[in-house]
Amino acid sequence: LSCLSHISDFRLCNLLREREIRLGKMEAFRLELFNVYESGARILLDEYPPFGKTGEENISGIHLVIVGIGHMGESLVVNAARNWWDLGGREGERLRVTLIDKEAGRVKEYLCRRYPQMEKACELVPVEADLPLLNLGQADFIFDNREKSAVKMVYVCLDDDSSALSAALMIRQRIKAPEVPIVIRMDHNAGLATLLRGEKDSQGSLYNLHVFGLFDHTCTPDLISRCTYEVLAR
């Protein structure tokens, strides 16, 4: 019997995984722990990568924006930093990541304290803003000194679907750069997400908005392949 248990708290999940491994093999029962935000962040970065592989393109000067630093936002920052480090970020240039959150300053301090190597890989820029009512004046981080969009990718990771869409539309209005993808984390690919897919399919005005249905991507029959023992085996 395989039992899969979702642990929403990222830190608690890691602690329990250590206990899970120590339990060893039991003949009649197999416990697997997972976290949809951790799995979702990995899948999201695979589907919407902010930078290419080494040798495919120049990966210098990459700037990401993450709106909402909750469980999903934290996992996204950590996995993006790890991918950047693996692609050569350890050689000096840091990945620039703008964190937009009501408590962005506190979140930055927490991330740097929890992940001591974070600042070697990333330049974390906190922008404190009330979400989803992001003031357009707070969006100056999107532009460099030449008034050209400097951002390569925007990830909106708010827990509420309508708030996420509202924030994404506000940012899109300020960017006015259709080449900059804006990925919106939603619970499912249904509901509001269907409206955006319709626009995308018809090459409508919102074609650079992309929906990532978290539970549709993570709570699937092949979930077991992303649990502890399978990951360690790979």
Side-chain angles (χ1 to χ4, degrees):
L1 174 66
S2 293
C3 174
L4 279 72
S5 178
H6 171 240
I7 309 297
S8 60
D9 186 280
F10 186 69
R11 290 162 290 181
L12 177 59
C13 188
N14 282 338
L15 290 172
L16 291 177
R17 275 176 173 166
E18 294 179 10
R19 176 65 177 168
E20 172 192 358
I21 294 172
R22 292 195 188 103
L23 285 176
K25 182 180 179 182
M26 291 181 285
E27 293 298 330
F29 181 74
R30 180 183 184 185
L31 174 66
E32 289 276 8
L33 305 174
F34 71 100
N35 181 294
V36 295
Y37 306 108
E38 180 187 13
S39 300
R42 293 176 184 272
I43 298 171
L44 191 154
L45 290 172
D46 284 340
E47 289 198 6
Y48 301 98
F51 39 80
K53 298 178 181 179
T54 303
E56 290 185 357
E57 63 173 319
N58 182 8
I59 63 170
S60 62
I62 302 295
H63 180 191
L64 309 182
V65 174
I66 300 178
V67 183
I69 316 298
H71 290 311
M72 183 70 176
E74 177 185 342
S75 294
L76 199 58
V77 173
V78 172
N79 281 281
R82 182 181 294 116
N83 292 348
W84 176 263
W85 189 261
D86 290 340
L87 286 177
R90 67 188 70 189
E91 296 177 2
E93 183 171 359
R94 296 189 295 170
L95 174 68
R96 185 181 181 189
V97 182
T98 295
L99 310 174
I100 305 180
D101 194 90
K102 188 175 182 179
E103 299 183 355
R106 184 189 64 79
V107 170
K108 175 188 174 180
E109 292 179 2
Y110 159 75
L111 288 172
C112 294
R113 186 170 61 251
R114 174 161 175 75
Y115 306 98
Q117 304 299 320
M118 177 68 73
E119 289 190 292
K120 291 185 179 180
C122 295
E123 175 192 359
L124 300 181
V125 182
V127 175
E128 297 194 353
D130 289 328
L131 300 171
L133 302 177
L134 179 65
N135 188 307
L136 292 183
Q138 295 172 309
D140 293 338
F141 60 84
I142 295 172
F143 293 88
D144 59 20
N145 295 331
R146 297 175 301 233
E147 282 300 307
K148 180 181 178 182
S149 177
V151 173
K152 298 298 182 183
M153 187 80 72
V154 177
Y155 300 102
V156 181
C157 300
L158 301 180
D159 291 334
D160 180 71
D161 286 0
S162 60
S163 298
L165 179 58
S166 176
L169 291 172
M170 186 70 72
I171 290 175
R172 187 182 187 278
Q173 181 181 353
R174 180 66 175 94
I175 291 180
K176 296 180 181 179
E179 70 276 8
V180 178
I182 301 175
V183 184
I184 310 170
R185 175 269 195 205
M186 291 187 172
D187 288 345
H188 298 282
N189 289 325
L192 288 173
T194 59
L195 299 176
L196 298 182
R197 277 206 308 275
E199 283 281 355
K200 185 178 179 181
D201 293 341
S202 60
Q203 292 298 303
S205 58
L206 304 179
Y207 63 88
N208 67 325
L209 295 181
H210 307 276
V211 173
F212 179 82
L214 177 63
F215 299 126
D216 293 324
H217 281 83
T218 56
C219 298
T220 60
D222 69 336
L223 176 64
I224 191 70
S225 68
R226 295 190 295 272
C227 289
T228 307
Y229 290 108
E230 295 297 331
V231 170
L232 287 175
R234 293 184 185 187

